[in-house]
Amino acid sequence: MIETAKGSPNKYAYTEAFNAFQFKMALPEGTSFPYDFGMVPSTKGADGDPLDILILLDAPAFPGCVLEARLVGVIEAEQRESDGTVERNDRLIGVAVKARTHAHIEALSDLRPGMLDEVEAFFGHYNQLAGRGFKVLGRGDAEAASILVRQGAEAFAEDQGQDRS
């Protein structure tokens, strides 16, 4: 589910308590999200929130748009909150299944040179503006991303009192 569209200077996040998208913050002048950003519904990450995902798509989607994506990798990261606590907060990377421009991308190695460095720098800067730290621990392939999604779905089901085994 897309929460913030590519090119948006505003950060939005789905808030279950309101069953709506909530404005979180405005980025500085001239800064915008480099790609569509959202979450994988019915998952729970180490930070307690649904897993984050960056989606490559031909044109920006819109908040609330649900689409099918092919996982190509993950940016493994830690986030330091303003209160000093540190938690894992990975960023999945996916390609919209119906994308044309990015249809050839099957792995992180298929991305243009420097793209992941730019995305990591964006998340570092974005988190700094929000009073948090963002430390990249590494990068994982599509299989590592798939494992995170399976673990996130299991954690969500456990939280809901269900068993997905």
Side-chain angles (χ1 to χ4, degrees), residues 16-56:
E16 198 169 309
F18 299 127
N19 194 28
F21 289 87
Q22 184 176 14
F23 172 79
K24 290 296 198 175
M25 69 182 282
L27 300 179
E29 189 72 30
T31 306
S32 62
F33 274 77
Y35 299 96
D36 288 311
F37 184 71
M39 54 98 155
V40 181
S42 301
T43 62
K44 182 179 177 184
D47 63 352
D49 294 333
L51 295 172
D52 294 324
I53 187 165
L54 193 74
I55 300 288
L56 306 180

Side-chain angles (χ1 to χ4, degrees), residues 27 37 41 63 66 82 95 109 118 127 164:
L27 300 179
F37 184 71
V66 176
S82 53
V95 175
S109 59
E118 293 166 7
N127 277 284
R164 290 201 176 185

Side-chain angles (χ1 to χ4, degrees), residues 107-126:
L108 294 179
S109 59
D110 296 330
L111 298 172
R112 69 170 170 75
M115 181 182 154
L116 281 178
D117 294 330
E118 293 166 7
V119 168
E120 291 168 356
F122 168 79
F123 282 118
H125 183 64
Y126 163 79

Side-chain angles (χ1 to χ4, degrees), residues 96-109:
V97 170
K98 303 288 185 176
R100 294 181 187 276
T101 307
H102 306 288
H104 67 285
I105 297 172
E106 298 287 335
L108 294 179
S109 59

Side-chain angles (χ1 to χ4, degrees), residues 63-86:
C65 180
V66 176
L67 54 85
E68 185 179 353
R70 175 179 63 255
L71 293 171
V72 297
V74 59
I75 297 170
E76 299 161 340
E78 285 181 341
Q79 191 168 294
R80 183 186 30 76
E81 298 298 319
S82 53
D83 66 2
T85 60
V86 175

